[in-house]
Amino acid sequence: MPRRASFLALLALLLLPPRSGADAQFSIVLRGGRIVDGTGNPWFQADLAIRDDRIVAIGQIPPAAGEREIDARGLIVAPGFIDSHSHSDWLLLEDGAAQSKIRQGVTTEVLGEGFSAGPWKGKLRAKSVRFGNREELISTLGDYFRLLERGGISVNVVSYAGIGNIWQSILGQSFEAPTSTDLREMKALLAEAMSDGAVGLSTQVMMPPGSLATTDQIVELCEVVRRFGGTYSSHIRNEGLGIFDSVKEAIEIGERARVPVDILHLKIADEKYWGRMNEVVSLIDEARRRGVNVQANIYPYTRGNNDLSSIIPPWAHEGGASQLLARLKNSADRVRIKREIREGVPGWYNHYTAVGGDWSRMLINGNNPYKGLTMDRVIALKNAGKNPADDPLDVLLDLVLECHGSVPTVFAHHSELDMNLGLSQVWSSIGSDGSAFATNGPLRQGQPHPRSFGTFPRVLGVYVRERKLLRLEDAVRKMTSLSAAKLALFDRGLLRPGMFADIAVFDPDRVVDRATYDEPFQYPEGIEYVIVNGRLVIQKGEHTGAKPGRVLRHNNESR
Protein backbone atom coordinates (compact mmCIF):
# COMPACT_ATOMS: atom_id res chain seq x y z
CA MET A 1 0.00 0.00 0.00
CA PRO A 2 1.48 3.47 -0.88
CA ARG A 3 2.47 5.58 2.11
CA ARG A 4 -0.24 8.20 1.51
CA ALA A 5 -2.97 5.55 1.23
CA SER A 6 -1.68 3.87 4.38
CA PHE A 7 -1.72 7.19 6.24
CA LEU A 8 -5.25 8.00 5.11
CA ALA A 9 -6.49 4.57 6.17
CA LEU A 10 -4.98 5.05 9.63
CA LEU A 11 -6.47 8.56 9.85
CA ALA A 12 -9.92 7.24 8.96
CA LEU A 13 -9.57 4.59 11.64
CA LEU A 14 -8.76 7.17 14.29
CA LEU A 15 -11.66 9.43 13.29
CA LEU A 16 -14.28 6.71 13.78
CA PRO A 17 -16.65 7.48 16.70
CA PRO A 18 -15.57 5.89 19.99
CA ARG A 19 -17.09 2.58 21.02
CA SER A 20 -16.83 0.55 24.19
CA GLY A 21 -17.05 -3.03 25.39
CA ALA A 22 -17.34 -5.65 22.67
CA ASP A 23 -17.68 -2.92 20.01
CA ALA A 24 -14.49 -1.08 20.98
CA GLN A 25 -12.11 -0.15 18.18
CA PHE A 26 -9.11 -1.53 20.05
CA SER A 27 -8.37 -4.32 22.50
CA ILE A 28 -6.09 -2.17 24.65
CA VAL A 29 -5.17 1.51 24.62
CA LEU A 30 -2.16 2.76 26.60
CA ARG A 31 -2.81 6.43 27.36
CA GLY A 32 -0.26 9.23 27.59
CA GLY A 33 2.91 7.22 28.15
CA ARG A 34 6.40 8.24 27.12
CA ILE A 35 7.09 6.09 24.07
CA VAL A 36 10.62 4.71 23.87
CA ASP A 37 10.21 2.91 20.59
CA GLY A 38 13.32 0.69 20.56
CA THR A 39 15.20 2.57 17.81
CA GLY A 40 17.32 4.62 20.21
CA ASN A 41 15.46 7.79 19.22
CA PRO A 42 14.40 10.20 22.01
CA TRP A 43 11.13 9.40 23.77
CA PHE A 44 7.89 11.12 22.80
CA GLN A 45 4.49 11.24 24.45
CA ALA A 46 1.61 9.46 22.75
CA ASP A 47 -1.19 6.93 23.08
CA LEU A 48 -0.72 3.41 21.74
CA ALA A 49 -3.53 1.18 20.51
CA ILE A 50 -3.56 -2.62 20.19
CA ARG A 51 -6.02 -4.76 18.28
CA ASP A 52 -5.77 -8.50 18.85
CA ASP A 53 -2.02 -9.32 18.73
CA ARG A 54 -0.78 -6.22 16.87
CA ILE A 55 0.01 -2.58 17.49
CA VAL A 56 -2.34 -0.70 15.17
CA ALA A 57 -1.91 2.98 16.05
CA ILE A 58 0.44 5.35 17.88
CA GLY A 59 -0.49 8.99 18.33
CA GLN A 60 -3.65 10.71 19.59
CA ILE A 61 -6.27 7.98 20.04
CA PRO A 62 -9.96 9.02 20.45
CA PRO A 63 -11.32 8.76 24.02
CA ALA A 64 -12.84 5.49 25.20
CA ALA A 65 -11.71 3.70 22.04
CA GLY A 66 -10.29 0.68 23.86
CA GLU A 67 -11.98 -2.31 25.39
CA ARG A 68 -9.29 -1.89 28.05
CA GLU A 69 -7.84 1.56 28.79
CA ILE A 70 -4.58 1.88 30.76
CA ASP A 71 -3.30 5.17 32.16
CA ALA A 72 0.41 5.21 31.28
CA ARG A 73 1.09 8.83 32.22
CA GLY A 74 4.50 9.13 33.89
CA LEU A 75 5.47 5.65 32.67
CA ILE A 76 7.74 4.46 29.89
CA VAL A 77 6.11 2.39 27.15
CA ALA A 78 8.74 0.27 25.44
CA PRO A 79 8.93 -2.86 23.30
CA GLY A 80 8.98 -6.04 25.36
CA PHE A 81 12.50 -7.04 26.31
CA ILE A 82 14.24 -9.86 24.43
CA ASP A 83 16.50 -11.96 26.65
CA SER A 84 19.15 -12.90 24.11
CA HIS A 85 20.71 -15.59 26.32
CA SER A 86 18.46 -17.67 28.57
CA HIS A 87 18.50 -21.13 30.15
CA SER A 88 14.76 -21.55 30.75
CA ASP A 89 14.49 -24.49 28.34
CA TRP A 90 13.23 -27.12 30.80
CA LEU A 91 11.72 -24.81 33.43
CA LEU A 92 9.20 -23.57 30.87
CA LEU A 93 7.87 -27.13 30.57
CA GLU A 94 7.43 -27.27 34.34
CA ASP A 95 5.66 -23.91 34.50
CA GLY A 96 5.13 -21.78 31.43
CA ALA A 97 4.33 -18.70 33.54
CA ALA A 98 8.02 -17.68 33.35
CA GLN A 99 7.59 -15.64 36.52
CA SER A 100 11.12 -14.33 37.09
CA LYS A 101 11.47 -13.29 33.45
CA ILE A 102 8.06 -11.82 32.56
CA ARG A 103 8.17 -9.70 35.74
CA GLN A 104 11.36 -8.11 34.39
CA GLY A 105 9.55 -7.05 31.23
CA VAL A 106 10.95 -9.95 29.18
CA THR A 107 8.54 -11.01 26.45
CA THR A 108 10.89 -13.27 24.44
CA GLU A 109 13.44 -15.82 25.68
CA VAL A 110 16.31 -17.06 23.49
CA LEU A 111 17.25 -20.62 24.49
CA GLY A 112 19.71 -23.34 23.54
CA GLU A 113 23.24 -22.40 24.62
CA GLY A 114 25.62 -25.29 23.82
CA PHE A 115 22.95 -27.86 24.66
CA SER A 116 19.42 -27.26 23.42
CA ALA A 117 16.06 -28.97 23.93
CA GLY A 118 16.66 -31.01 20.78
CA PRO A 119 17.73 -33.01 18.89
CA TRP A 120 18.13 -36.16 21.02
CA LYS A 121 18.99 -38.86 18.54
CA GLY A 122 21.40 -41.72 17.86
CA LYS A 123 23.80 -42.10 20.79
CA LEU A 124 22.02 -39.29 22.62
CA ARG A 125 18.82 -41.14 23.42
CA ALA A 126 15.43 -39.44 23.26
CA LYS A 127 14.90 -37.33 26.38
CA SER A 128 12.06 -38.24 28.70
CA VAL A 129 10.40 -35.28 30.43
CA ARG A 130 7.55 -35.00 32.88
CA PHE A 131 4.76 -33.03 31.22
CA GLY A 132 1.60 -32.66 33.22
CA ASN A 133 0.66 -36.10 34.53
CA ARG A 134 2.59 -38.11 31.98
CA GLU A 135 6.03 -38.75 30.56
CA GLU A 136 6.80 -37.41 27.10
CA LEU A 137 9.73 -38.25 24.83
CA ILE A 138 11.60 -35.52 22.97
CA SER A 139 13.77 -36.51 20.03
CA THR A 140 13.72 -33.30 17.96
CA LEU A 141 13.64 -29.59 18.62
CA GLY A 142 10.24 -29.64 16.93
CA ASP A 143 8.99 -32.06 19.60
CA TYR A 144 10.05 -29.60 22.30
CA PHE A 145 8.38 -26.68 20.54
CA ARG A 146 5.12 -28.60 20.27
CA LEU A 147 5.18 -29.44 24.00
CA LEU A 148 5.65 -25.75 24.84
CA GLU A 149 2.68 -24.86 22.69
CA ARG A 150 0.51 -27.56 24.28
CA GLY A 151 1.37 -26.46 27.80
CA GLY A 152 1.15 -22.73 27.19
CA ILE A 153 3.80 -20.10 27.92
CA SER A 154 3.67 -16.50 29.06
CA VAL A 155 6.70 -15.51 26.95
CA ASN A 156 7.69 -16.08 23.35
CA VAL A 157 10.47 -18.59 22.74
CA VAL A 158 13.33 -18.72 20.24
CA SER A 159 15.95 -21.48 20.31
CA TYR A 160 19.31 -22.27 18.83
CA ALA A 161 20.40 -25.83 18.12
CA GLY A 162 23.19 -26.71 20.55
CA ILE A 163 26.43 -28.26 19.34
CA GLY A 164 26.33 -30.56 22.39
CA ASN A 165 23.20 -32.29 21.08
CA ILE A 166 24.51 -32.48 17.53
CA TRP A 167 27.92 -33.82 18.61
CA GLN A 168 26.78 -36.38 21.18
CA SER A 169 23.96 -37.69 18.98
CA ILE A 170 26.68 -38.92 16.63
CA LEU A 171 29.70 -39.55 18.91
CA GLY A 172 28.13 -40.08 22.33
CA GLN A 173 30.50 -39.49 25.26
CA SER A 174 33.61 -40.35 23.23
CA PHE A 175 36.37 -37.79 22.79
CA GLU A 176 37.38 -39.34 19.45
CA ALA A 177 37.70 -36.96 16.49
CA PRO A 178 34.74 -37.16 14.10
CA THR A 179 35.22 -38.73 10.67
CA SER A 180 33.98 -37.11 7.48
CA THR A 181 30.94 -39.39 7.71
CA ASP A 182 30.31 -38.23 11.28
CA LEU A 183 30.41 -34.60 10.16
CA ARG A 184 27.96 -35.28 7.33
CA GLU A 185 25.57 -36.82 9.86
CA MET A 186 26.02 -33.84 12.20
CA LYS A 187 25.21 -31.45 9.36
CA ALA A 188 22.07 -33.44 8.54
CA LEU A 189 20.95 -33.22 12.19
CA LEU A 190 21.63 -29.50 12.26
CA ALA A 191 19.66 -29.04 9.03
CA GLU A 192 16.75 -30.91 10.62
CA ALA A 193 16.86 -28.63 13.68
CA MET A 194 17.00 -25.55 11.46
CA SER A 195 13.98 -26.87 9.53
CA ASP A 196 12.20 -27.29 12.88
CA GLY A 197 12.75 -23.58 13.50
CA ALA A 198 16.15 -23.21 15.21
CA VAL A 199 17.57 -19.72 14.75
CA GLY A 200 21.11 -21.01 14.29
CA LEU A 201 23.92 -22.99 15.92
CA SER A 202 25.08 -22.31 19.47
CA THR A 203 28.42 -23.64 20.71
CA GLN A 204 29.71 -23.91 24.25
CA VAL A 205 33.37 -24.51 23.35
CA MET A 206 34.87 -23.94 26.79
CA MET A 207 34.11 -27.48 27.98
CA PRO A 208 33.35 -30.85 26.35
CA PRO A 209 31.70 -31.81 24.12
CA GLY A 210 31.77 -28.42 22.40
CA SER A 211 35.46 -27.90 23.15
CA LEU A 212 36.24 -31.02 21.09
CA ALA A 213 35.15 -29.27 17.89
CA THR A 214 37.88 -27.60 15.86
CA THR A 215 37.52 -24.25 14.17
CA ASP A 216 37.34 -25.96 10.77
CA GLN A 217 34.59 -28.32 11.95
CA ILE A 218 32.50 -25.47 13.32
CA VAL A 219 32.92 -23.58 10.05
CA GLU A 220 31.68 -26.66 8.21
CA LEU A 221 28.61 -26.90 10.47
CA CYS A 222 27.95 -23.20 9.98
CA GLU A 223 27.63 -23.77 6.25
CA VAL A 224 24.27 -25.31 7.15
CA VAL A 225 23.41 -22.26 9.25
CA ARG A 226 24.17 -19.99 6.29
CA ARG A 227 21.81 -21.97 4.01
CA PHE A 228 18.97 -21.28 6.43
CA GLY A 229 19.90 -17.63 7.01
CA GLY A 230 20.74 -18.29 10.66
CA THR A 231 23.21 -17.03 13.26
CA TYR A 232 26.25 -18.51 14.99
CA SER A 233 26.22 -17.97 18.76
CA SER A 234 29.23 -18.90 20.89
CA HIS A 235 30.27 -19.27 24.48
CA ILE A 236 33.90 -18.85 23.43
CA ARG A 237 36.73 -21.27 24.31
CA ASN A 238 38.51 -19.18 26.88
CA GLU A 239 37.25 -16.05 28.63
CA GLY A 240 40.44 -15.67 30.66
CA LEU A 241 44.03 -15.66 29.44
CA GLY A 242 42.87 -16.98 26.07
CA ILE A 243 40.26 -14.26 25.57
CA PHE A 244 41.90 -12.60 22.58
CA ASP A 245 42.49 -15.80 20.58
CA SER A 246 38.99 -17.00 21.47
CA VAL A 247 37.32 -13.82 20.21
CA LYS A 248 39.46 -14.06 17.06
CA GLU A 249 38.26 -17.65 16.55
CA ALA A 250 34.58 -16.62 16.80
CA ILE A 251 35.22 -13.84 14.28
CA GLU A 252 37.08 -16.25 11.97
CA ILE A 253 34.17 -18.69 12.01
CA GLY A 254 31.71 -15.96 11.07
CA GLU A 255 34.02 -14.59 8.38
CA ARG A 256 34.77 -17.95 6.75
CA ALA A 257 31.22 -19.32 7.01
CA ARG A 258 29.66 -15.96 6.12
CA VAL A 259 27.22 -16.01 9.02
CA PRO A 260 26.44 -13.43 11.74
CA VAL A 261 28.14 -14.05 15.10
CA ASP A 262 26.86 -13.33 18.61
CA ILE A 263 29.40 -13.80 21.42
CA LEU A 264 27.66 -14.87 24.62
CA HIS A 265 28.17 -12.96 27.89
CA LEU A 266 31.28 -11.10 26.72
CA LYS A 267 33.74 -10.61 29.58
CA ILE A 268 37.37 -10.90 30.68
CA ALA A 269 37.17 -13.58 33.35
CA ASP A 270 40.69 -13.67 34.74
CA GLU A 271 42.06 -11.03 37.09
CA LYS A 272 45.44 -11.10 35.33
CA TYR A 273 43.85 -9.47 32.24
CA TRP A 274 41.43 -7.07 33.94
CA GLY A 275 41.49 -3.64 32.33
CA ARG A 276 42.02 -4.93 28.78
CA MET A 277 38.43 -4.91 27.54
CA ASN A 278 39.39 -2.10 25.15
CA GLU A 279 41.49 -4.66 23.24
CA VAL A 280 38.52 -7.02 22.94
CA VAL A 281 36.34 -4.14 21.74
CA SER A 282 39.00 -3.26 19.13
CA LEU A 283 39.00 -6.84 17.79
CA ILE A 284 35.24 -6.71 17.27
CA ASP A 285 35.26 -3.19 15.84
CA GLU A 286 38.02 -4.10 13.37
CA ALA A 287 36.08 -7.17 12.24
CA ARG A 288 32.93 -5.13 11.74
CA ARG A 289 34.84 -2.55 9.68
CA ARG A 290 35.88 -5.26 7.24
CA GLY A 291 32.32 -6.56 6.95
CA VAL A 292 32.01 -9.33 9.56
CA ASN A 293 28.71 -9.05 11.42
CA VAL A 294 29.99 -9.90 14.90
CA GLN A 295 28.16 -8.70 17.99
CA ALA A 296 27.89 -9.74 21.65
CA ASN A 297 25.56 -9.84 24.60
CA ILE A 298 26.32 -8.95 28.22
CA TYR A 299 24.72 -9.28 31.66
CA PRO A 300 25.12 -6.40 34.17
CA TYR A 301 26.95 -8.35 36.88
CA THR A 302 30.62 -9.13 37.61
CA ARG A 303 30.04 -12.71 38.67
CA GLY A 304 29.31 -15.63 36.38
CA ASN A 305 27.67 -19.01 36.93
CA ASN A 306 29.29 -22.30 36.06
CA ASP A 307 30.06 -25.51 37.95
CA LEU A 308 32.81 -26.56 40.33
CA SER A 309 33.35 -29.51 38.01
CA SER A 310 34.59 -27.01 35.40
CA ILE A 311 37.70 -26.65 37.58
CA ILE A 312 38.52 -30.27 36.70
CA PRO A 313 40.58 -30.53 33.46
CA PRO A 314 38.65 -31.51 30.31
CA TRP A 315 40.27 -34.95 29.78
CA ALA A 316 38.76 -36.17 33.06
CA HIS A 317 35.23 -35.62 31.70
CA GLU A 318 35.52 -38.12 28.84
CA GLY A 319 32.82 -40.77 29.08
CA GLY A 320 30.41 -38.58 31.01
CA ALA A 321 29.66 -38.18 34.71
CA SER A 322 30.19 -41.82 35.65
CA GLN A 323 33.74 -41.84 34.26
CA LEU A 324 34.51 -38.48 35.85
CA LEU A 325 33.49 -39.83 39.25
CA ALA A 326 35.58 -42.97 38.71
CA ARG A 327 38.64 -40.84 37.96
CA LEU A 328 38.08 -38.76 41.09
CA LYS A 329 38.24 -41.99 43.10
CA ASN A 330 41.45 -43.13 41.39
CA SER A 331 44.53 -41.97 43.32
CA ALA A 332 46.82 -41.59 40.26
CA ASP A 333 44.17 -39.64 38.32
CA ARG A 334 43.50 -37.46 41.36
CA VAL A 335 47.19 -36.53 41.64
CA ARG A 336 47.24 -35.48 37.98
CA ILE A 337 43.96 -33.56 38.30
CA LYS A 338 45.18 -31.56 41.28
CA ARG A 339 48.51 -30.76 39.61
CA GLU A 340 46.79 -29.50 36.45
CA ILE A 341 44.29 -27.42 38.43
CA ARG A 342 47.16 -25.64 40.18
CA GLU A 343 49.48 -25.34 37.17
CA GLY A 344 46.96 -25.12 34.34
CA VAL A 345 46.81 -26.80 30.94
CA PRO A 346 47.71 -24.87 27.75
CA GLY A 347 44.55 -23.53 26.10
CA TRP A 348 42.23 -24.54 28.95
CA TYR A 349 40.24 -21.90 30.83
CA ASN A 350 40.77 -22.64 34.51
CA HIS A 351 38.21 -21.10 36.87
CA TYR A 352 40.47 -21.76 39.86
CA THR A 353 43.40 -19.70 38.59
CA ALA A 354 41.03 -17.13 37.07
CA VAL A 355 39.94 -16.07 40.57
CA GLY A 356 43.51 -16.25 41.86
CA GLY A 357 42.87 -19.49 43.77
CA ASP A 358 40.63 -17.50 46.15
CA TRP A 359 38.00 -19.92 47.48
CA SER A 360 35.95 -17.02 48.90
CA ARG A 361 35.15 -15.97 45.31
CA MET A 362 33.24 -19.21 44.64
CA LEU A 363 29.63 -19.30 45.93
CA ILE A 364 27.75 -22.63 45.85
CA ASN A 365 24.28 -22.10 44.42
CA GLY A 366 22.76 -25.43 43.31
CA ASN A 367 20.28 -27.81 44.88
CA ASN A 368 22.62 -29.24 47.50
CA PRO A 369 23.28 -28.89 51.25
CA TYR A 370 26.00 -26.26 50.66
CA LYS A 371 24.01 -23.71 48.67
CA GLY A 372 24.64 -20.16 49.85
CA LEU A 373 28.11 -20.99 51.21
CA THR A 374 31.37 -19.82 49.67
CA MET A 375 33.93 -22.56 49.11
CA ASP A 376 36.25 -21.29 51.85
CA ARG A 377 33.41 -21.91 54.33
CA VAL A 378 32.74 -25.36 52.87
CA ILE A 379 36.44 -26.21 53.20
CA ALA A 380 36.47 -25.00 56.81
CA LEU A 381 33.38 -27.10 57.60
CA LYS A 382 34.83 -30.20 55.97
CA ASN A 383 38.16 -29.75 57.76
CA ALA A 384 36.70 -28.96 61.19
CA GLY A 385 38.47 -31.08 63.80
CA LYS A 386 40.89 -32.62 61.30
CA ASN A 387 44.59 -32.55 62.05
CA PRO A 388 46.16 -32.33 59.58
CA ALA A 389 43.51 -30.69 57.42
CA ASP A 390 42.75 -32.06 53.96
CA ASP A 391 44.17 -30.30 50.93
CA PRO A 392 41.46 -27.82 49.77
CA LEU A 393 41.59 -29.39 46.31
CA ASP A 394 40.77 -32.77 47.85
CA VAL A 395 37.79 -31.13 49.55
CA LEU A 396 36.73 -29.78 46.15
CA LEU A 397 37.04 -33.16 44.44
CA ASP A 398 35.24 -34.93 47.29
CA LEU A 399 32.44 -32.36 47.07
CA VAL A 400 32.02 -33.05 43.34
CA LEU A 401 31.89 -36.77 44.19
CA GLU A 402 29.32 -36.20 46.93
CA CYS A 403 27.12 -34.19 44.56
CA HIS A 404 27.35 -36.79 41.76
CA GLY A 405 29.51 -34.70 39.44
CA SER A 406 27.78 -31.29 39.46
CA VAL A 407 28.05 -28.40 41.93
CA PRO A 408 26.63 -25.18 40.37
CA THR A 409 28.74 -22.25 41.49
CA VAL A 410 28.94 -18.46 41.11
CA PHE A 411 32.46 -17.23 40.35
CA ALA A 412 33.54 -13.62 41.00
CA HIS A 413 35.86 -13.41 38.03
CA HIS A 414 35.45 -10.19 36.06
CA SER A 415 35.60 -6.45 36.76
CA GLU A 416 33.06 -3.64 36.82
CA LEU A 417 35.13 -1.37 34.55
CA ASP A 418 35.50 -4.05 31.88
CA MET A 419 31.82 -4.93 32.08
CA ASN A 420 30.81 -1.27 31.77
CA LEU A 421 32.96 -0.79 28.68
CA GLY A 422 31.45 -3.85 27.02
CA LEU A 423 27.93 -2.84 28.04
CA SER A 424 28.29 0.60 26.45
CA GLN A 425 29.24 -0.68 22.97
CA VAL A 426 26.70 -0.09 20.22
CA TRP A 427 26.76 -3.79 19.25
CA SER A 428 26.21 -5.25 22.73
CA SER A 429 22.72 -6.44 23.63
CA ILE A 430 21.43 -7.70 26.99
CA GLY A 431 21.23 -11.38 27.87
CA SER A 432 20.62 -12.64 31.39
CA ASP A 433 22.24 -16.10 31.14
CA GLY A 434 19.53 -16.90 33.70
CA SER A 435 16.38 -19.01 33.98
CA ALA A 436 12.67 -18.53 34.61
CA PHE A 437 12.43 -19.35 38.32
CA ALA A 438 9.74 -18.27 40.80
CA THR A 439 9.74 -16.99 44.38
CA ASN A 440 7.51 -19.80 45.54
CA GLY A 441 6.31 -23.22 44.45
CA PRO A 442 8.30 -25.93 42.66
CA LEU A 443 10.38 -23.40 40.69
CA ARG A 444 11.91 -21.96 43.83
CA GLN A 445 15.01 -24.08 43.29
CA GLY A 446 18.56 -23.90 44.66
CA GLN A 447 20.30 -20.54 45.08
CA PRO A 448 20.28 -19.06 41.56
CA HIS A 449 22.35 -16.16 40.32
CA PRO A 450 20.35 -12.93 40.86
CA ARG A 451 20.45 -12.28 37.11
CA SER A 452 17.51 -14.70 36.76
CA PHE A 453 15.36 -12.15 38.62
CA GLY A 454 16.98 -8.78 38.01
CA THR A 455 18.98 -8.37 34.78
CA PHE A 456 16.77 -5.98 32.81
CA PRO A 457 15.51 -3.80 35.70
CA ARG A 458 19.15 -3.61 36.90
CA VAL A 459 20.23 -2.11 33.60
CA LEU A 460 17.41 0.45 33.81
CA GLY A 461 17.72 1.25 37.52
CA VAL A 462 21.46 1.06 38.12
CA TYR A 463 23.18 1.73 34.79
CA VAL A 464 20.64 4.21 33.36
CA ARG A 465 19.12 6.07 36.31
CA GLU A 466 21.78 5.85 39.04
CA ARG A 467 25.13 5.65 37.24
CA LYS A 468 24.08 7.22 33.93
CA LEU A 469 26.32 4.88 31.96
CA LEU A 470 23.58 4.53 29.31
CA ARG A 471 20.83 6.77 27.97
CA LEU A 472 17.40 5.28 28.60
CA GLU A 473 16.72 5.07 24.88
CA ASP A 474 20.01 3.28 24.20
CA ALA A 475 19.42 0.79 27.01
CA VAL A 476 15.96 -0.03 25.64
CA ARG A 477 17.42 -0.52 22.14
CA LYS A 478 19.93 -3.02 23.59
CA MET A 479 17.05 -4.94 25.18
CA THR A 480 14.74 -4.89 22.16
CA SER A 481 15.42 -4.05 18.51
CA LEU A 482 19.13 -4.92 18.66
CA SER A 483 18.39 -8.50 19.70
CA ALA A 484 15.40 -8.70 17.37
CA ALA A 485 17.59 -7.76 14.40
CA LYS A 486 20.23 -10.34 15.38
CA LEU A 487 17.55 -13.03 15.34
CA ALA A 488 15.73 -11.80 12.22
CA LEU A 489 12.62 -11.07 14.31
CA PHE A 490 11.71 -8.13 12.12
CA ASP A 491 8.11 -8.02 13.34
CA ARG A 492 9.11 -7.52 16.99
CA GLY A 493 11.43 -5.31 19.02
CA LEU A 494 9.99 -1.95 17.91
CA LEU A 495 6.83 0.02 18.66
CA ARG A 496 5.32 0.56 15.23
CA PRO A 497 1.85 -0.02 13.78
CA GLY A 498 1.79 -3.51 12.31
CA MET A 499 4.33 -4.94 14.76
CA PHE A 500 3.37 -7.65 17.24
CA ALA A 501 2.20 -6.15 20.52
CA ASP A 502 4.99 -7.23 22.89
CA ILE A 503 5.26 -4.30 25.30
CA ALA A 504 6.86 -3.45 28.66
CA VAL A 505 5.53 -0.52 30.68
CA PHE A 506 7.68 0.65 33.60
CA ASP A 507 8.22 3.50 36.03
CA PRO A 508 11.62 5.07 35.20
CA ASP A 509 11.93 6.50 38.72
CA ARG A 510 11.31 3.20 40.52
CA VAL A 511 12.46 0.39 38.28
CA VAL A 512 15.31 -1.60 39.83
CA ASP A 513 16.42 -5.13 40.65
CA ARG A 514 16.03 -6.47 44.20
CA ALA A 515 17.62 -9.92 43.88
CA THR A 516 21.01 -10.41 45.53
CA TYR A 517 23.52 -13.28 45.69
CA ASP A 518 22.42 -14.04 49.26
CA GLU A 519 18.69 -13.49 48.61
CA PRO A 520 18.05 -14.09 44.91
CA PHE A 521 14.35 -14.95 45.14
CA GLN A 522 13.06 -11.39 44.85
CA TYR A 523 11.15 -9.93 41.92
CA PRO A 524 12.11 -6.45 40.71
CA GLU A 525 10.26 -3.20 41.29
CA GLY A 526 8.77 -0.78 38.81
CA ILE A 527 7.62 -3.09 36.00
CA GLU A 528 3.95 -2.14 35.89
CA TYR A 529 2.49 -3.83 32.80
CA VAL A 530 3.75 -6.44 30.36
CA ILE A 531 1.85 -7.33 27.20
CA VAL A 532 2.67 -10.39 25.07
CA ASN A 533 1.04 -10.79 21.66
CA GLY A 534 -1.59 -8.24 22.65
CA ARG A 535 -2.58 -9.79 26.00
CA LEU A 536 -1.85 -8.51 29.48
CA VAL A 537 0.43 -10.86 31.42
CA ILE A 538 1.64 -8.41 34.09
CA GLN A 539 -0.95 -5.99 35.41
CA LYS A 540 0.09 -3.46 38.05
CA GLY A 541 3.08 -5.65 38.85
CA GLU A 542 1.17 -8.92 39.24
CA HIS A 543 0.94 -11.95 36.94
CA THR A 544 -2.53 -12.38 35.40
CA GLY A 545 -2.01 -16.08 34.65
CA ALA A 546 -2.22 -15.46 30.91
CA LYS A 547 -0.02 -17.57 28.63
CA PRO A 548 -0.17 -15.92 25.20
CA GLY A 549 3.48 -16.64 24.32
CA ARG A 550 4.42 -18.33 21.06
CA VAL A 551 7.26 -20.37 19.65
CA LEU A 552 8.97 -18.10 17.12
CA ARG A 553 10.33 -20.54 14.57
CA HIS A 554 13.07 -19.11 12.38
CA ASN A 555 11.94 -18.26 8.84
CA ASN A 556 8.33 -19.19 9.65
CA GLU A 557 6.01 -16.60 8.14
CA SER A 558 3.01 -17.85 10.17
CA ARG A 559 4.44 -16.98 13.56
Side-chain angles (χ1 to χ4, degrees), residues 46-93:
D47 304 327
L48 183 148
I50 297 166
R51 182 181 294 124
D52 299 324
D53 60 359
R54 302 275 182 161
I55 299 168
V56 293
I58 300 175
Q60 191 170 356
I61 310 297
E67 182 177 344
R68 174 68 187 270
E69 301 258 339
I70 295 175
D71 184 358
R73 288 174 297 178
L75 302 177
I76 300 297
V77 179
F81 305 146
I82 298 173
D83 189 343
S84 60
H85 180 195
S86 175
H87 289 279
S88 300
D89 311 55
W90 304 115
L91 293 184
L92 289 174
L93 288 183

Side-chain angles (χ1 to χ4, degrees), residues 478-489:
K478 287 174 176 293
M479 299 175 175
T480 58
S481 66
L482 180 56
S483 288
K486 288 181 186 183
L487 300 164
L489 299 176

Side-chain angles (χ1 to χ4, degrees), residues 80-81 88 91-103 105-109 148-157 436-437 492 501-503 530-538 542-552:
F81 305 146
S88 300
L91 293 184
L92 289 174
L93 288 183
E94 292 186 56
D95 182 358
Q99 291 277 5
S100 74
K101 292 300 189 70
I102 194 75
R103 289 172 181 267
V106 170
T107 56
T108 299
E109 294 241 72
L148 282 182
E149 290 169 330
R150 277 173 50 194
I153 43 178
S154 293
V155 292
N156 301 311
V157 163
F437 292 106
R492 299 178 192 269
D502 293 344
I503 298 172
V530 181
I531 297 169
V532 179
N533 295 312
R535 291 179 59 192
L536 273 168
V537 182
I538 297 297
E542 296 300 324
H543 203 299
T544 65
K547 294 182 178 179
R550 298 173 183 171
V551 174
L552 308 182

Side-chain angles (χ1 to χ4, degrees), residues 456-488:
F456 292 83
R458 180 172 178 80
V459 171
L460 296 169
V462 175
Y463 292 98
V464 172
R465 185 179 65 244
E466 296 177 8
R467 301 185 185 176
K468 297 178 172 54
L469 178 72
L470 301 171
R471 292 170 58 247
L472 172 63
E473 293 87 349
D474 291 334
V476 168
R477 184 188 69 86
K478 287 174 176 293
M479 299 175 175
T480 58
S481 66
L482 180 56
S483 288
K486 288 181 186 183
L487 300 164

Side-chain angles (χ1 to χ4, degrees), residues 8 31 37 61 263 305 392 411 469 486 499 513 524 551 558:
L8 291 174
R31 295 280 180 190
D37 64 7
I61 310 297
I263 297 174
N305 214 145
F411 293 88
L469 178 72
K486 288 181 186 183
M499 303 289 279
D513 61 313
V551 174
S558 66

